[in-house]
Amino acid sequence: MIGIDIGGANTKIVTEDEVIIRYCPLWRGAPLGEILSGFDGEAVVVMSGELADCFHTKGEGISFLVNEVKKIIPDARFYGTDGLFHTDPVPQLAAANWLASADLLRDRYPGSVLVDLGSTTADIIPLTPFSDLLNQTDLSRLRRGYLIYCGMLRTPVASLLRSVRIDGIDTPLSTEYFASAGDAHLVLGHITPEEYTVPTPDGKEATTALSLSRLARSVCADLDEVGPNGAIAIAEAFWDAERTLIKESLDRIGSGEVLAAGIGSGLIRRNFGGIDLQKELGHYADALPAYAVREVAIRDGI
């Protein structure tokens, strides 16, 4: 059996001993079927890609993704926000990937709070009582602080920052997509160039030097105008804003040991304590929902 997590930007596949992560931007018509080809047998699937703006509605996205998977794996089953597996494109399939993670971890770490910091979003999920998590939507999770739309790679820097102090001067940011979270986290040493796995804002390479230039561009400057320290100040202000959003949600949710997952798991562990699931689960923590839906299906005899 394989577990599949289909996001708007990335598709993750977990087998018994392997994690496969593919950049698959659905809004650009990326060939999901080609990514899944070569896999056969049983598969269980979670998704959040139905929200991609190539679909007019989430229902349209769900139908498309279910049908694309079934073309390759006809007997695939899909985990929903009701905590059940389905074979048809029902509304409960929308954004159920986080719930699969909670479903798996709730018995292993009762009372904990999962913080899954990925490329695009941060899921902040109190694991118990599990019944309170059922039938939550992205909208309700945003309202409750369970979903924060910022991540390690794809978030535009200007989406979290309005201004930054450079050389003691308050400097507004352009709202153009000049720099991303990936640039900020790369220059701060939170990720390596190899972990910057999505296209950069300008389509150039993911290097520290070019990331510094992209960050400088976010205040309408070349790097020689603000210097490396000015660009780093932008990166630090971005991470401070991102970290503050996560802390506010954790404070709102209440006490509970933090379980850190996703590509930002180490960063979460260093800032908020708790358990880094990367050390507990190894590389499976980078694709936690895909791993979790597989484990839940095996656990439940699906």
Side-chain angles (χ1 to χ4, degrees):
M1 180 182 290
I2 63 171
I4 304 171
D5 177 14
I6 305 172
N10 295 290
T11 292
K12 302 175 183 180
I13 302 168
V14 168
T15 69
E16 185 175 355
D17 53 12
E18 188 177 16
V19 173
I20 301 162
I21 301 176
R22 294 284 186 269
Y23 182 60
C24 180
L26 297 176
W27 64 91
R28 292 184 179 173
L32 178 61
E34 289 182 16
I35 292 174
L36 298 180
S37 63
F39 294 97
D40 52 22
E42 294 183 291
V44 283
V45 184
V46 287
M47 66 178 70
S48 60
E50 77 290 333
L51 194 61
D53 57 11
C54 54
F55 306 122
H56 182 62
T57 65
K58 288 188 278 189
E60 178 185 322
I62 291 168
S63 294
F64 174 85
L65 296 177
V66 168
N67 291 333
E68 285 297 295
V69 171
K70 284 193 163 188
K71 287 177 184 177
I72 308 299
I73 310 171
D75 295 328
R77 285 152 294 175
F78 301 81
Y79 184 87
T81 54
D82 52 3
L84 303 174
F85 285 89
H86 303 265
T87 56
D88 298 314
V90 296
Q92 289 86 351
L93 301 186
N97 55 351
W98 63 275
L99 187 67
S101 299
D103 198 349
L104 174 66
L105 297 173
R106 60 188 170 114
D107 291 329
R108 300 184 185 182
Y109 304 96
S112 298
V113 178
L114 173 64
V115 181
D116 187 346
L117 181 58
S119 64
T120 308
T121 62
D123 290 307
I124 302 177
I125 310 162
L127 297 184
T128 49
F130 185 69
S131 58
D132 286 354
L133 302 178
L134 295 176
N135 301 309
Q136 294 286 333
T137 65
D138 275 351
L139 176 60
S140 65
R141 291 200 303 133
L142 282 168
R143 289 170 169 168
R144 297 179 72 168
Y146 292 1
L147 172 62
I148 302 176
Y149 245 87
C150 63
M152 291 290 291
L153 300 179
R154 299 183 60 242
T155 308
V157 166
S159 69
L160 298 189
L161 290 183
R162 290 295 172 261
S163 66
V164 61
R165 290 192 70 78
I166 300 176
D167 296 329
I169 302 171
D170 192 43
T171 308
L173 269 71
S174 163
T175 56
E176 296 286 351
Y177 183 42
F178 284 139
S180 71
D183 295 312
H185 288 296
L186 180 58
V187 304
L188 294 176
H190 298 162
I191 61 171
T192 65
E194 292 73 28
E195 290 171 321
Y196 196 147
T197 55
V198 300
T200 64
D202 58 6
K204 297 178 182 177
E205 291 178 283
T207 67
T208 299
L210 288 174
S211 286
L212 287 168
S213 294
R214 285 187 285 267
L215 289 162
R217 186 64 56 86
S218 69
V219 290
C220 304
D222 289 333
L223 185 58
D224 60 6
E225 293 181 78
V226 297
N229 287 341
I232 291 171
I234 298 169
E236 289 174 337
F238 174 81
W239 169 231
D240 186 61
E242 193 169 33
R243 179 173 50 207
T244 296
L245 287 174
I246 294 170
K247 183 180 185 304
E248 288 174 348
S249 281
L250 284 171
D251 289 345
R252 180 178 174 184
I253 288 169
S255 61
E257 184 174 44
V258 168
L259 303 177
I263 60 173
S265 63
L267 196 56
I268 294 298
R269 169 67 179 82
R270 289 196 296 274
N271 282 268
F272 300 104
I275 297 172
D276 184 350
L277 289 178
Q278 187 76 247
K279 296 179 180 179
E280 300 287 314
L281 302 176
H283 60 311
Y284 294 118
D286 288 340
L288 182 57
Y291 169 75
V293 74
R294 179 181 182 273
E295 294 297 305
V296 168
I298 293 171
R299 180 197 72 191
D300 295 350
I302 300 299

